[in-house]
Amino acid sequence: MAGVNSSFGPTSVNLSEAALLKAGNVYSVTQPDGSLPLGGAHPYGLYMDDCRYLSGYALELAGEPLVSLATADAGPATLVHELTNPELDGLPAQTVGVRVRRRLHPGGMTDEITVSAYGRPVKATLELRVEADFAPMLAVRGLIDDGAPPPERDGDRFERTGRDGVIRSTTVRGPLVRELDLAAGETEILTAQFELTPAPRAKRAAIQPTATLRTGDTRTQQLLDRAFADLRSLTSTLDGKAYYSAGIPWYATLFGRDSLITAHQMLAFAPGIAEDTLRLLAAHLGTRDDRIHEEQPGKVLHELRIGEVAGAELTPLARYYGTVDATPLWLCVLADHAEWTGDLGLFRELRPQVDAMLGWLGGGLLEYEARAPGGLRNQGWKDSAEAVCHEDGTWLEPPIALVEAQGYAIAARRGIARLLERAGETEAAARLRSAAAAHAERLERLWLPDRGYYAMALDGHGEPSRALASNQGPLLWARALEPGRAAAVRDALTGDALFSGWGIRTLAAGTPAYNPVAYHLGSVWPHDTAMSAGGLRAYGFDDPFLRVFEALLDAAANSANGRLPELFAGHARGTLAKPVPYPVSCQPQAWAAGAIPYLTGQALGLEPDGFAGVLHVRRPLLPRGVDRLDIVGLRLAGRSGDLSFARDATGQVALVTVGGDLEVRSDGPR
C-alpha cells in the first residue's frame, strides 16, 4: 500500500484537486490556488525529509484573500497560479492581476509574485501570511503525537527543536507586507524565498529515464508525458542512491514493495533506478530478530522514515519490516534487471543478501502475522485491517497466507535459479527450481474447485477466503500457473464482477463485503490492474490484455491532469462518465504512474535477453487510436536502439524500423 487509510481525519480534503510539486526531497501539497490553510488540522504543506516546514500560506490584498483563476504547469518543479482581487472598498473585482510563479528546489521554494494594475491605479496592502509547525508527516497523519515544543518565530524566521535534538527552521526572504502604489497599467514584481534548514546533504543527481515513448496520438502522448513527468518528480535520493518515493503526500519516502514494483515497471526505460533501489534496500536488509520493528534476518523492509521520527525513535514505523511480499519482489526485480543488462555483476555484488532472502522465504507457504504492538494486521499490498476477509467481511485470523505472495516466491526462486545457472552453479540452480516446483504445488491449496478461481488467502487454520478478489492476478504476472489455471484466472479477472470497465476491482461486485468506495474492498488500483494485465499478456491472452490496458488509458484521460491516481472507486463504467476519485489518495503515486509506461512496453511485446544481447519482440500490439509508436533510446546490455511500430491498413501491428546498434528479433505482427 502507498496510501492513507480511509479513517484519516480531514476527509473533507480532496487531494485530487490539490496542486502538487516536488524537487528532490522537497515537495509541496497546496490548495488549487497555491495557498495553505492558516490553522486547523489539514495535510497541506511544504515538506522536506518527512517534515512540514510550512503549514500556512495566504496571500491577501487589503485583508482579503485573492480569487483563483487558473493554475498551470510551467516546467520542472514549477507551477504558475493566476489570481485576482475580489470586490474591495474602492477597488472593483478583477482589476488587479496577481501571478505567482512557484518553483521548488533542493532546500526550499521561491515565489515570484507579479502584481499588475488593470485599467486604474491601485493603492492597497499586499500581505503574505505564513505559518510553520515542523510536524513530522506521521504526526500530520495522526499516527504519532506531535509532542515537540511549539515553534518559535523571530520576524521572518520560524524554528523548532525536534525531539531528536535537531533545530529545523524556515526563513522567508522577501517582503511579508508590501504597500502597493501602482499606476494604471503598471506592474511590480516581488520575490519571496523560503529557505529550509538543515539543508539537504549533498546528493547524487537523480537518474533519469534513458528511453522515451513517442506517438502521433495526442491523447496517448499526453498520458505518457504525464506518467514520465510524475515519475521524474517522485525520484528521490537516499545515501546517494535514487529510488521512486511511493507517493505524495503521505508516502514521499522509501517503501520496499512500492519502490520495487515501480522500478520493475520502468526496467525498459530507467534500469538505473532499479539498480539503485536494489542496492538501497539490500543495505537496509533485516539482520536480526526484532519483534518491535517486525525485522527478521533476510527480510526486506516495508517502510523507512527519516527526520525526527527516526532520530528520536518515536515509532517502529520509522524503520518497519511488516511486509510479506517485498522480499520475493526484490529477488524478482534483481533477476529481471539482469535480463535487461546482460550482466551478473549486481547479482555477484549482492550475493550475501540474495542468500539471506532465499533463506527467509522458508520451506512452506509464505505467511504473516503482526508481531509488533500497533503493527500492520495485514502485510500484503492490501494492508488495511479489513482488506483480507471472507465473503461476509469478517477478517481472516493469522497467520495468513496471501495468494499473490506465493506467486512472487515461485517467480523469485525461478529467476534466481536462472542467474545461478548463468554463474555456473548448476546444482544450486536445480535445487532452487525444485523448491519453486514444490511451492507451486503448495499454491494449489488455495484453489477453489467449486468456484473456479483462487482464494484470496488462507487463514491460520488453513481455511480459505472464498471472496472473489484481484489478489490472484499477480499469479499471471509471476507466470506461476499452468495454462488451464491461467485461463480460469483470466475469466475471473475480466468478468463483470471484477472488471469495472475502468480497471479491475480489488473485491468483486456482488460480494456481501463489497464497497466500491472502500480502500481495498471494491476500489480499483491502477498498479494492481496493470500487474494483472501484464500477466494476461504473458500468457498470450492478448484481447483481454488490450481491453484492460485501454480501460486504464481511458481512466487516466478522464482523471485530473491526465494522471492515474493511487486508486479510484469501483463503480461500473456505464453508470458514470468518469472514474470517481478517492479523496485522499496519493497523486502522483509511483506505481500508478508507472502503470501506463509498463503496459505500453508489454503491448509492444518487449522481451529482453541481455545475456545473448538480443531484444525479442513478440506479437506487438497498439491500443485503439494509436497507429504508430516509437521508442527512442532503448538500452539493452550496453547497446542502444530506436524502434518504430506501426499499424497497417488491415489493423496489424508490426515493428517497422530499428535504428542504432541494438539487435532486435521480431516474430512479426499479431
Side-chain angles (χ1 to χ4, degrees):
M1 179 196 72
V4 64
N5 194 296
S6 56
S7 63
F8 176 75
T11 53
S12 59
V13 172
N14 187 347
L15 291 178
S16 67
E17 300 173 355
L20 306 166
L21 283 176
K22 186 173 181 293
N25 290 8
V26 177
Y27 68 95
S28 66
V29 184
T30 72
Q31 297 180 110
D33 62 357
S35 67
L36 304 171
L38 297 170
H42 64 82
Y44 299 110
L46 175 65
Y47 293 86
M48 181 176 74
D49 290 343
D50 229 32
C51 174
R52 183 162 65 180
Y53 278 77
L54 205 63
S55 56
Y57 177 111
L59 197 58
E60 298 178 347
L61 188 67
E64 296 294 330
L66 294 167
V67 177
S68 177
L69 297 175
T71 296
D73 288 331
T78 304
L79 284 177
V80 171
H81 300 282
E82 291 286 353
L83 312 168
T84 191
N85 65 294
E87 183 78 29
L88 299 171
D89 186 20
L91 193 61
Q94 300 178 9
T95 55
V96 180
V98 179
R99 173 178 294 173
V100 179
R101 183 181 180 86
R102 173 167 296 163
R103 182 176 64 87
L104 262 59
H105 48 83
M109 179 176 82
T110 299
D111 280 359
E112 181 184 86
I113 304 169
T114 302
V115 186
S116 302
Y118 295 130
R120 61 186 299 140
V122 173
K123 286 190 176 183
T125 302
L126 182 71
E127 181 177 5
L128 175 58
R129 300 173 60 196
V130 294
E131 295 175 349
D133 62 1
F134 303 100
M137 173 50 80
L138 293 183
V140 174
R141 288 179 55 204
L143 296 181
I144 63 171
D145 293 330
D146 187 16
E152 299 178 355
R153 178 174 184 176
D154 182 8
D156 60 2
R157 178 181 172 87
F158 303 79
E159 72 172 40
R160 186 174 83 165
T161 302
R163 284 164 286 184
D164 56 352
V166 175
I167 299 174
R168 295 174 175 85
S169 69
T170 302
T171 303
V172 185
R173 306 290 189 195
L176 295 176
V177 179
R178 180 72 171 182
E179 298 298 334
L180 299 174
D181 188 358
L182 302 176
E186 189 177 2
T187 292
E188 182 172 355
I189 300 177
L190 310 171
T191 301
Q193 294 181 315
F194 300 83
E195 299 175 1
L196 317 181
T197 60
R201 291 171 292 181
K203 297 178 174 69
R204 197 181 73 190
I207 298 171
Q208 298 298 338
T210 57
T212 56
L213 292 165
R214 295 287 177 262
T215 175
D217 179 65
T218 301
R219 186 191 81 150
T220 303
Q221 189 64 58
Q222 290 173 342
L223 300 180
L224 287 166
D225 289 346
R226 166 55 66 188
F228 277 92
D230 283 348
L231 288 163
R232 282 193 297 270
S233 72
L234 286 166
T235 304
S236 298
T237 55
L238 179 65
D239 299 334
K241 295 179 177 60
Y243 68 94
Y244 291 119
S245 294
I248 296 175
W250 315 115
Y251 292 94
T253 189
L254 177 66
F255 267 72
R257 178 191 309 116
D258 299 59
S259 299
L260 283 165
I261 287 178
T262 312
H264 189 273
Q265 290 171 328
M266 294 297 289
L267 274 175
F269 308 104
I273 291 280
E275 184 173 338
D276 268 15
T277 303
L278 290 165
R279 284 197 176 101
L280 188 55
L281 290 169
H284 293 274
L285 190 67
T287 58
R288 60 184 179 175
D289 193 352
D290 177 352
R291 296 178 63 89
I292 296 300
H293 294 88
E294 307 259 18
E295 180 181 0
Q296 294 172 327
K299 191 176 184 183
V300 173
L301 65 78
H302 171 63
E303 176 179 1
L304 185 68
R305 296 281 175 174
I306 57 178
E308 183 177 351
V309 294
E313 298 184 357
L314 301 179
T315 170
L317 293 178
R319 183 179 59 83
Y320 185 59
Y321 289 80
T323 169
V324 73
D325 50 13
T327 305
L329 282 169
W330 188 99
L331 294 166
C332 290
V333 174
L334 177 69
D336 288 350
H337 175 267
E339 294 294 342
W340 279 100
T341 62
D343 188 355
L344 290 174
L346 189 61
F347 169 65
R348 292 190 172 109
E349 173 191 334
L350 301 177
R351 181 61 184 276
Q353 291 91 335
V354 170
D355 290 343
M357 292 182 208
L358 290 171
W360 183 84
L361 293 182
L365 289 172
L366 273 187
E367 297 177 332
Y368 65 82
E369 180 174 10
R371 302 194 302 161
L376 290 173
R377 188 180 197 280
N378 287 313
Q379 298 186 0
W381 83 262
K382 297 179 182 179
D383 59 1
S384 57
E386 70 276 6
V388 183
C389 62
H390 294 287
E391 287 179 295
D392 63 359
T394 56
W395 299 355
L396 269 66
E397 292 302 318
I400 294 170
L402 279 175
V403 67
E404 70 267 27
Q406 317 314 318
Y408 299 148
I410 293 167
R413 287 182 165 119
R414 289 174 177 168
I416 299 303
R418 293 196 303 270
L419 299 186
L420 287 168
E421 193 162 62
R422 292 190 182 280
E425 300 183 49
T426 55
E427 291 184 4
R431 288 194 298 270
L432 208 49
R433 286 197 178 93
S434 177
H439 205 141
E441 291 180 4
R442 293 191 293 272
L443 170 64
E444 288 305 293
R445 291 168 52 189
L446 286 94
W447 175 251
L448 302 175
D450 60 326
R451 297 291 181 91
Y453 56 77
Y454 282 90
M456 183 194 311
L458 300 179
D459 69 11
H461 301 289
E463 292 297 319
S465 165
R466 299 174 66 79
L468 176 57
S470 66
N471 297 66
Q472 59 200 298
L475 297 179
L476 300 180
W477 176 88
R479 305 189 186 199
L481 305 177
E482 54 85 18
R485 290 282 195 261
V489 172
R490 172 203 61 199
D491 294 343
L493 293 173
T494 58
D496 291 342
L498 278 179
F499 185 63
S500 74
W502 298 113
I504 296 172
R505 299 181 179 99
T506 45
L507 189 67
T511 305
Y514 169 73
N515 180 348
V517 293
Y519 202 48
H520 292 128
L521 297 178
S523 59
V524 173
W525 289 62
H527 90 277
D528 184 41
T529 295
M531 184 170 279
S532 293
L536 291 170
R537 180 73 161 133
Y539 277 88
F541 303 137
D542 292 348
D543 289 335
F545 162 79
L546 272 179
R547 182 183 176 210
V548 176
F549 181 21
E550 291 170 353
L552 274 186
L553 287 170
D554 291 344
N558 284 280
S559 297
N561 301 313
R563 169 186 288 140
L564 280 175
E566 178 185 17
L567 71 155
F568 49 85
H571 297 295
R573 182 169 182 170
T575 61
L576 296 162
K578 296 182 178 182
V580 176
Y582 189 84
V584 293
S585 65
C586 289
Q587 298 192 56
Q589 207 264 2
W591 58 19
I596 289 177
Y598 165 68
L599 289 181
T600 302
Q602 295 300 299
L604 298 179
L606 307 181
E607 291 188 8
D609 185 356
F611 292 99
V614 175
L615 177 71
H616 295 277
V617 174
R618 312 283 194 194
R619 308 184 322 278
L621 305 171
L622 289 173
R624 67 173 181 271
V626 179
D627 293 325
R628 186 180 180 94
L629 192 144
D630 301 332
I631 307 180
V632 181
L634 185 70
R635 296 188 63 81
L636 180 126
R639 296 183 177 185
S640 179
D642 303 336
L643 285 67
S644 293
F645 297 81
R647 192 192 310 272
D648 65 21
T650 68
Q652 296 294 302
V653 178
L655 174 65
V656 292
T657 62
V658 178
D661 62 354
L662 186 62
E663 182 178 348
V664 181
R665 297 177 188 170
S666 175
D667 64 2
R670 179 186 176 192

